[in-house]
Amino acid sequence: MAEPVRLTTPLKDEDVEKLKIGDKVLLNGVIYTARDAAHKRLFDLVNEGKELPIEIKGQIVYYVGPSPAKPGQSIGSAGPTTSCRMDSYAPKLMALGLKGMIGKGMRNQEVIEAMKKYKAVYFGATGGAAALIAKTIKKAEVVAYEDLGPEAIHRLEVEDFPVVLINDIYGNDLYEEGVKRYRIED
Amino acid sequence: MREVPIDKIIEVVRGLFIAANTQLGQDIVEALDRALEKEESPIGKEVLVELKENAEIARREEVPICQDTGLAVLFVDLGQDVHIVGGDFIEAVNEGVRRGYQEGYLRKSACHPFSRKNTGDNTPAIIHVNIVPGDRIKIAVVPKGGGSENMSRVAMLTPAVGAKGVIDYVVQTVEESGPNPCPPLVVGVGIGGSLEKATLMAKRSLLRPLDSQNPDPELAKMEEEILSRVNKLGIGPQGYGGRITALGVHIEMAPCHIASLPVAVNIQCHAARHKEAVI
């Protein structure tokens, strides 16, 4: 594989313009967690025209509900959850300036179109590598919706958080291309 | 009658859930090694290496393999000569789950279907009890993650489609699940029985060690055929494209109604977590 690309948040257009599907990317800086319940709340705030509890511009949202931290850990195991459950919320957040999403699994056409329109990308983290991924999360704190437990929004400080680019801003999809390349017809 | 105090059941269930969530089975570790030899995709290989490293960290540090530590599913073979004393058996199992998830730093994922309010302790457990001869209790725990469970399916096929129809349905289910259930997968298949029996067999088949052969030669052959077809789909590790979409296929079968051909596909991620103990 080619050398990984290192990126630091917040991301700019130039950062995402150069990325292509299959790129190995190491993320640095701050990323925010949010999954089903937090997305619903953020979405409601946007619809009501209210301010969000986090600055979304240039940021990356990680779809994760970590396991509880053991004493001495900054966070418990923290691998990605299935992204499609956030599809109905994602375009609105991209319209507000969200630049990246981290999860696993397919996105719908609407999300892929929004990525092209707003210059945002979708990264895959390795599902099931939750203990390994947690090693790259140096600090974690809840910044909103503490009542949601593992679904609360956490601010994570990450160092070389490993992801693979699944959807770029040009409409390409690693899942589709990967299958095309390796499929054997009977 | 052999007496078994509920305290023993609580302790065993607690320990099994912690072990299942932190220790990847040796059969899986070996299957990942074999998969690494066969995988051609560079990115697919990298994923397999990550999964191996992850398992080592989880075991060494006693942390969950995956943050989704699952709903608590159990299969219990209860010897008919066992007398459970000191309290309610089902409540004892739930108490074991409660303690395991709390004291093992496991994520609690059980919630109300509509309000989505978390039950707070990962109970109620889903407990399947089978009465068997003898004076022992065999408890197998299967913490089941949501991502792979969501891609699982059951169908009542027309008997005329036969074995080929069943195989096609299983392959199609895996194909449609794509990257979502975190491949490489273990695919559990239940054929026959009734609607719920097929589903139960599919789940129970996941308890079988990955390197074991199905005792029924016809089913062993069918498992091989499904595995070969699934691994031609090209989905690969994490769905990034590759040769290894599944590590194994397990089938259980039972007689069904003359009008029916039920088939259930229980998709499992690579970790295929399960641990068992005999009391």
Side-chain angles (χ1 to χ4, degrees):
Chain A
M1 277 186 78
E3 277 301 295
V5 181
R6 273 200 173 73
L7 287 180
T8 301
T9 61
L11 301 183
K12 299 182 205 64
D13 282 354
E14 306 89 271
D15 294 320
V16 294
E17 277 164 1
K18 65 183 178 190
L19 296 176
K20 52 186 192 309
I21 60 167
D23 279 352
K24 173 112 201 184
V25 180
L26 298 172
L27 298 172
N28 289 274
V30 170
I31 61 178
Y32 291 97
T33 74
R35 46 173 292 158
D36 311 58
H39 268 82
K40 169 122 187 33
R41 291 193 189 177
L42 292 176
F43 191 72
D44 290 346
L45 286 178
V46 174
N47 285 339
E48 291 162 17
K50 292 184 180 153
E51 201 175 321
L52 299 185
I54 54 169
E55 166 63 318
I56 206 99
K57 216 169 154 49
Q59 289 304 340
I60 297 177
V61 166
Y62 181 22
Y63 304 144
V64 59
S67 62
K70 283 176 90 164
Q73 278 189 316
S74 56
I75 195 167
S77 296
T81 192
T82 311
S83 307
C84 62
R85 296 194 314 272
M86 271 54 79
D87 280 357
S88 54
Y89 309 119
K92 214 148 224 180
L93 296 180
M94 283 184 259
L96 290 175
L98 181 72
K99 277 289 177 208
M101 298 158 282
I102 309 169
K104 59 152 172 118
M106 295 170 276
R107 309 311 300 265
N108 69 17
Q109 204 50 43
E110 203 187 332
V111 175
I112 290 171
E113 288 305 319
M115 284 190 258
K116 282 158 71 177
K117 184 171 173 189
Y118 301 112
K119 290 196 175 178
V121 292
Y122 173 46
F123 299 105
T126 300
L132 182 70
I133 291 170
K135 294 278 177 202
T136 68
I137 302 172
K138 301 302 171 187
K139 206 176 153 194
E141 57 172 331
V142 173
V143 290
Y145 312 144
E146 193 160 11
D147 60 299
L148 294 179
E151 295 205 50
I153 297 184
H154 295 66
R155 179 184 185 276
L156 307 181
E157 286 178 26
V158 299
E159 276 176 30
D160 284 351
F161 183 104
V163 290
V164 171
L165 196 81
I166 295 173
N167 292 105
D168 60 23
I169 62 166
Y170 308 105
N172 299 305
D173 186 327
L174 175 64
Y175 292 138
E176 270 179 28
E177 293 305 315
V179 166
K180 258 188 227 163
R181 188 155 177 193
Y182 288 97
R183 190 184 171 95
I184 300 168
E185 295 299 336
D186 268 319
Chain B
M1 294 289 266
R2 178 172 162 258
E3 292 198 343
V4 174
I6 57 155
D7 288 351
K8 181 70 188 166
I9 292 164
I10 294 172
E11 178 198 318
V12 166
V13 169
R14 173 194 177 279
L16 285 174
F17 272 105
I18 295 175
N21 272 302
T22 55
Q23 301 165 16
L24 191 68
Q26 189 54 34
D27 55 335
I28 308 280
V29 175
E30 287 165 15
L32 288 175
D33 283 333
R34 290 194 297 272
L36 257 171
E37 283 170 26
K38 286 187 201 153
E39 185 53 66
E40 293 167 22
S41 145
I43 200 167
K45 276 188 182 177
E46 199 157 322
V47 167
L48 295 171
V49 169
E50 282 181 355
L51 294 178
K52 284 198 60 183
E53 283 176 15
N54 185 71
E56 281 164 28
I57 296 170
R59 184 180 293 270
R60 193 173 61 233
E61 300 184 10
E62 291 186 308
V63 296
I65 296 162
C66 179
Q67 77 291 338
D68 182 353
T69 49
L71 273 187
V73 178
L74 299 98
F75 287 91
V76 179
D77 288 340
L78 179 60
Q80 63 190 24
D81 297 326
V82 174
H83 181 204
I84 293 162
V85 293
D88 176 334
F89 172 72
I90 298 296
E91 181 40 38
V93 170
N94 278 315
E95 183 58 24
V97 168
R98 219 168 266 136
R99 291 189 194 174
Y101 276 76
Q102 185 60 35
E103 294 163 18
Y105 297 91
L106 308 179
R107 196 184 79 185
K108 294 126 188 161
S109 305
C111 75
H112 185 280
F114 298 139
S115 74
R116 313 304 293 177
K117 188 175 161 43
N118 201 297
T119 65
D121 57 10
N122 221 43
T123 69
I126 295 157
I127 310 166
H128 306 293
V129 182
N130 193 23
I131 308 290
V132 298
D135 62 359
R136 305 280 151 183
I137 311 175
K138 186 162 119 185
I139 299 179
V141 307
V142 190
K144 190 68 177 78
S148 56
E149 194 79 344
N150 281 347
M151 305 319 289
S152 300
R153 300 285 180 266
V154 60
M156 306 303 280
L157 301 178
T158 300
V161 301
K164 184 179 179 302
V166 168
I167 293 170
D168 287 347
Y169 180 76
V170 178
V171 174
Q172 182 198 331
T173 302
V174 173
E175 183 169 20
E176 287 171 4
S177 75
N180 290 21
C182 300
L185 312 172
V186 178
V187 183
V189 182
I191 303 170
S194 51
L195 178 85
E196 85 283 8
K197 170 91 178 170
T199 316
L200 207 50
M201 287 190 292
K203 177 142 286 144
R204 198 176 52 200
S205 77
L206 297 170
L207 295 173
R208 215 179 87 205
L210 206 47
D211 43 11
S212 65
Q213 177 125 25
N214 195 311
D216 179 335
E218 185 192 350
L219 295 184
K221 201 166 151 253
M222 197 181 252
E223 289 176 356
E224 265 178 45
E225 186 181 344
I226 295 174
L227 183 61
S228 158
R229 281 188 53 190
V230 160
N231 282 336
K232 285 180 186 167
L233 291 173
I235 296 168
Q238 286 298 310
Y240 298 156
R243 297 281 169 241
I244 308 294
T245 300
L247 300 171
V249 176
H250 291 175
I251 302 178
E252 281 194 22
M253 191 162 79
C256 55
H257 192 281
I258 52 173
S260 307
L261 178 50
V263 54
V265 185
N266 202 183
I267 304 254
Q268 178 64 289
C269 68
H270 90 281
R273 296 167 296 194
H274 61 90
K275 287 278 185 263
E276 57 186 55
V278 176
I279 300 174

